[in-house]
Amino acid sequence: MEERITSRKNGYLQQVRKLLTSKKEREKAGLFVSDGTKLLEEAVRYFPGLDTVILSDGVEAQVPDHIRTIRVPKDVMESISPMETPQGALFVCRLPEKSNFVPKPGMILLDGIQDPGNLGTMLRTADALDIPVALLEGCADPYSHKVVRSSMGAVFRTQVVQTTWETAASACRAAGIPVGVTALSPRAKDIRQANVKAMAVVIGSEGQGVRREILDAADAELIIPMNPHCESLNAAAAATIVMWQMSQQ
């Protein structure tokens, strides 16, 4: 049975607004919000934590009977949706339990990836190529609506692992997995000649690259061959190339 809310001042809808804009609020409530009919389909199909669905008048979606469903007028949806042109569907999910970091050869470690679009693209690519990935310190919140959207639902299909460099380094060392870093360095080895499938490879932040602490501790420096007049690649593009190379070895 659908509920109906017509007031923009409704307390639950005000909470949804806060969840969309505040990581602190998401962590406090143990909830996050995403938007769009396509992503809702992904959540219904893959994510056990789907909690509540909010639909505009006239918008239909296949929602399981046990999921709370709220119907709102179009103007109310426009007042809470983060999109300039809302698709007419918002949905609230429970944050998954945090999982422990397990080192694996042929995995990606993301260091300080702050752009939601880049992070979402990396998670989407890792899901597509079946590459394990973990987020180190400084990354954007993987459960912000911008990351969820740019991941095209990868956060619903795979477990997002967050850890620290100290934990990851110690675990990789104990497991005998060498750590590689992407770096513009004369010492760096062409990824085509490196056994990246045996490594955990760190991709650095958009502006700063890999942290000095990680560079100093790495077992190998890696470089993606490119035209000499090109200074660097977008972080998401670099991660995609490394993951593709891993998938081919």
Side-chain angles (χ1 to χ4, degrees):
M1 183 93 177
E2 288 185 352
E3 301 175 39
R4 184 163 183 81
I5 294 176
T6 58
S7 172
R8 301 184 184 190
K9 296 181 180 180
N10 175 271
Y12 184 74
L13 298 187
Q14 289 182 342
Q15 182 190 28
V16 169
R17 289 190 193 96
K18 292 179 182 178
L19 293 171
L20 282 163
T21 57
S22 170
K23 179 181 179 180
K24 183 177 180 180
E25 191 69 26
R26 290 191 288 272
E27 292 178 341
K28 176 183 174 182
L31 299 168
F32 69 100
V33 181
S34 188
D35 62 277
T37 52
K38 176 67 171 105
L39 286 177
L40 175 56
E41 290 176 7
E42 294 293 295
V44 167
R45 184 174 181 182
Y46 294 106
F47 195 66
L50 179 62
D51 183 88
T52 302
V53 175
I54 306 170
L55 299 173
S56 285
D57 288 339
V59 174
E60 299 301 326
Q62 296 296 319
V63 182
D65 292 338
H66 69 280
I67 300 297
R68 181 187 183 193
T69 305
I70 298 171
R71 182 72 64 174
V72 299
K74 184 178 178 181
D75 68 295
V76 173
M77 177 62 74
E78 290 173 346
S79 76
I80 57 176
S81 173
M83 303 290 287
E84 287 187 15
T85 307
Q87 293 183 20
L90 283 175
F91 54 99
V92 180
C93 298
R94 295 182 295 278
L95 286 172
E97 294 290 328
K98 292 185 178 180
S99 56
N100 293 327
F101 173 77
V102 178
K104 298 176 183 177
M107 78 179 307
I108 293 287
L109 304 175
L110 303 180
D111 178 41
I113 304 298
Q114 298 177 351
D115 182 88
N118 279 341
L119 179 57
T121 297
M122 292 174 182
L123 295 175
R124 180 182 182 183
T125 304
D127 180 35
L129 297 178
D130 199 24
I131 300 293
V133 60
L135 281 56
L136 304 180
E137 300 95 329
C139 287
D141 180 5
Y143 297 104
S144 75
H145 69 91
K146 291 181 180 179
V147 175
V148 175
R149 188 188 309 130
S150 59
S151 81
M152 290 301 292
V155 298
F156 301 130
R157 298 186 295 268
T158 60
Q159 177 72 50
V160 179
V161 178
Q162 301 178 74
T163 188
T164 64
W165 163 242
E166 182 180 2
T167 297
S170 175
C172 287
R173 190 162 49 247
I177 298 171
V179 173
V181 295
T182 51
L184 297 173
S185 161
R187 302 183 301 277
K189 187 174 184 179
D190 188 322
I191 63 165
R192 295 171 298 180
Q193 275 75 58
N195 186 12
V196 290
K197 193 172 181 62
M199 300 179 183
V201 178
V202 183
I203 305 292
S205 69
E206 297 85 357
Q208 304 300 318
V210 178
R211 272 178 286 161
R212 171 54 58 185
E213 175 188 6
I214 299 177
L215 283 170
D216 290 344
D219 300 294
E221 294 184 12
L222 307 167
I223 193 167
I224 297 168
M226 67 183 80
N227 213 318
H229 64 247
C230 293
E231 182 179 332
S232 63
L233 287 170
N234 168 274
T240 297
I241 292 170
V242 172
M243 286 188 272
W244 174 255
Q245 186 68 23
M246 284 176 169
S247 71
Q248 298 305 297
Q249 290 182 343

